[in-house]
Amino acid sequence: MNLNPRVKEYGSQKEILYTVKGSIEKVAGLTLDGTQFAVNTLIPAGTAVSIQANGLAKPWADADTGKPYLTNHDVMTADVTTVNVIVGAWAEALVVESKLTGVTAAFKTAAGARYRFY
């Protein structure tokens, strides 16, 4: 009989929604442009991205003209930059601003009323 405790760690993403009722509209999946993200990197939930002309999403930059989105779950990039990964996104939601990544004043302006920040 072994009386030593066993510890198992579970990964858990941060909750970016203000309330459960804040999940207004969800997008099935955005394809992230593998060349725009670092290899073997965790992209956390609530990361600001924009859709490029080629249909792939890249990290938000203030000069972007593509449609802005917020990712809704954590995703790990591949070990090579040629692989594109798919992540879900919020098209419209009530979100906690302090838990988001890459959101700027320009992102808020481009998103308009699609996101409410608390």
Side-chain angles (χ1 to χ4, degrees):
M1 181 158 125
N2 185 355
L3 298 177
N4 293 326
R6 295 181 192 162
V7 177
K8 185 168 185 172
E9 294 183 21
Y10 294 94
S12 177
Q13 71 182 23
K14 59 187 173 185
E15 182 56 58
I16 64 168
L17 295 179
Y18 181 68
T19 67
V20 178
K21 293 179 183 177
S23 57
I24 298 170
E25 185 181 350
K26 188 176 177 182
V27 176
L30 301 178
T31 304
L32 302 179
D33 187 348
T35 62
Q36 301 290 325
F37 293 90
V39 297
N40 289 328
T41 303
L42 178 71
I43 300 170
T47 299
V49 296
S50 68
I51 304 297
Q52 305 173 86
N54 63 2
L56 300 176
K58 69 176 218 45
W60 174 261
D62 287 344
D64 286 347
T65 57
K67 190 169 184 177
Y69 286 99
L70 290 172
T71 60
N72 67 359
H73 60 83
D74 296 343
V75 67
M76 190 75 171
T77 60
D79 57 354
V80 292
T81 59
T82 57
V83 176
N84 300 331
V85 294
I86 297 174
V87 64
W90 293 111
E92 189 176 348
L94 309 174
V95 293
V96 179
E97 187 173 2
S98 63
K99 295 183 179 183
L100 304 177
T101 305
V103 173
T104 64
F107 178 88
K108 291 179 183 179
T109 302
R114 292 176 44 225
Y115 301 111
R116 291 190 191 163
F117 300 92
Y118 293 93

